[in-house]
Every structure is written in C-alpha cells, then in structure tokens.
Amino acid sequence: MSPKEPLLATLKVCILNMQAEGRPVTDENPHLSSCCQLLEIILRKGLQQTGLGLIKRDVWHWLEQLPQQDTCGRQSQFSVSVETAAACKKLLTAQGRGRFFLRLALNRKILGNVVQHLIHTPKLLEWYDPVISVLGNEEFLEPFLSLLLVISEMEFSLNTENSSFLDESWLLPVCEVYETVPCRELGMVLR
C-alpha cells in the first residue's frame, strides 16, 4: 500500500469547498487563505537548506531561478509573473514575494505549469528531499499535479494591489477604496 500525504487530502477538501460556492474565488472566500497556506506548506515541505545555512531557502528562491534554468522555453506568463513579484515594492521578504507569486499564479491559472517546469529542471528539483517532500517524491507528485490541474480550471479574481500584508500573513486586511470629489456642499475642500 502506498503512503498517503495528509496535506494533499486537506488541499483536496479545501478545493472542493471553494468549488462548492459555484462562483469565481475572490478574497472574500473563507477557504482561500487556508488553500493558499496549504499550497505554500506543500511547496516548502522537504525544501533543503544550503550547506552553510546562512540563507534560509524559500519557495521564492527557486521560483526566481526557474526562468533561467528551465529548458522548455514555454514560460512567457510565468516569466511575467516572476518579474511582477520581483518588482513589487510593497514586499520585503522572500516569503512575501513567494506568496504574491502564488496569488498571481492563481489569477493567471499557471500554477500547474510552474510545477511542471520545476519537474523538468533537475538542478532546482535537487533542492527537495526525495523522501519527505511532495515535489521530490513521485508517489505524492502525481496527485498534487492533478489537484493543481483542478485549481487551474477554477476562476480566481484576487486583488493583487493589496499585497503588503503577505510578508507576515495570508489573512487579507480590509482594503476599501473611496472615490470622492471635492464639493463645498458636502464640506470637503482641498487646500
């Protein structure tokens, strides 16, 4: 009997809960933050640290190297997403950039393709422990890829402007935008 990965079963339940809503997934969806957190945990699981341990490896570190290392040559949306995450001035940490990239990938339906590119890049796949990681273990990888295929079929409409919180948390703070026009009748005047 093959071993089971509990994270994949939990991710499946989370995906089913999001699909049950029957409409595009937005930031207001109660299952979104737990789904994103599970994706992050799965992508981090078994990620081996460098020999010296001076820099703690995160998902972002292989994401930003993948466009240069991958030999498939079919990654235009992926490259644009990496550049967008790298250029985001609101984010200060690798964790925040990786989370921002995950949100972009969900919006653009490319997360499954990104993992496929990683699989075809042995130099970066070596960063994962082949026994405990989902990405380095063949038995766990196939079910994970099928879940990513389901996710790529879903419609996401996530606000990527509100991103500075991603350095710290997946929980989205309230962001309200008001448009006003200066008007003496309302008592609003610009000085």
Side-chain angles (χ1 to χ4, degrees):
M1 190 166 138
S2 65
K4 298 279 184 190
E5 174 55 62
L7 290 172
L8 295 178
T10 308
L11 180 62
K12 182 178 181 179
V13 169
C14 192
I15 292 169
L16 290 172
N17 287 335
M18 287 192 304
Q19 284 180 323
E21 303 249 335
R23 59 180 196 261
V25 179
T26 63
D27 291 316
E28 288 77 34
N29 189 302
H31 307 287
L32 177 66
S33 66
S34 58
C35 182
C36 289
Q37 194 170 18
L38 279 167
L39 286 169
E40 180 182 40
I41 291 168
I42 290 169
L43 292 173
R44 278 186 180 161
K45 186 173 181 179
L47 188 60
Q48 301 176 65
Q49 299 306 315
T50 59
L52 298 175
L54 298 175
I55 298 174
K56 185 178 180 195
R57 279 188 183 157
D58 204 313
V59 174
W60 174 249
H61 293 116
W62 66 258
L63 281 170
E64 69 179 341
Q65 288 190 22
L66 192 55
Q68 293 87 29
Q69 300 290 329
D70 187 41
T71 57
C72 294
R74 307 178 312 256
Q75 25 178 347
S76 61
Q77 272 196 334
F78 168 63
S79 296
V80 169
S81 298
V82 167
E83 289 169 9
T84 303
C88 184
K89 303 282 187 223
K90 297 176 184 177
L91 301 169
L92 305 174
T93 65
Q95 173 178 280
R97 293 190 194 291
R99 288 175 173 177
F100 184 62
F101 177 84
L102 282 176
R103 288 176 61 87
L104 289 172
L106 290 173
N107 269 351
R108 297 174 181 177
K109 302 179 180 205
I110 61 169
L111 192 54
N113 294 341
V114 171
V115 174
Q116 288 283 5
H117 285 300
L118 175 67
I119 294 166
H120 298 300
T121 311
K123 185 174 181 183
L124 295 177
L125 198 56
E126 289 174 359
W127 289 16
Y128 284 93
D129 185 312
V131 177
I132 64 169
S133 72
V134 172
L135 296 177
N137 187 323
E138 289 283 329
E139 294 178 37
F140 299 148
L141 184 59
E142 287 304 318
F144 181 55
L145 285 173
S146 67
L147 289 173
L148 292 180
L149 181 63
V150 172
I151 288 174
S152 69
E153 297 296 319
M154 296 170 62
E155 193 66 40
F156 286 86
S157 181
L158 307 178
N159 178 2
T160 55
E161 295 299 317
N162 188 11
S163 61
S164 58
F165 68 98
L166 291 171
D167 282 325
E168 301 297 326
S169 171
W170 277 107
L171 298 176
L172 184 69
V174 175
C175 179
E176 294 185 24
V177 177
Y178 296 100
E179 289 186 33
T180 60
V181 177
C183 176
R184 291 206 185 277
E185 285 97 34
L186 294 176
M188 296 176 57
V189 182
L190 289 178
R191 294 179 191 209

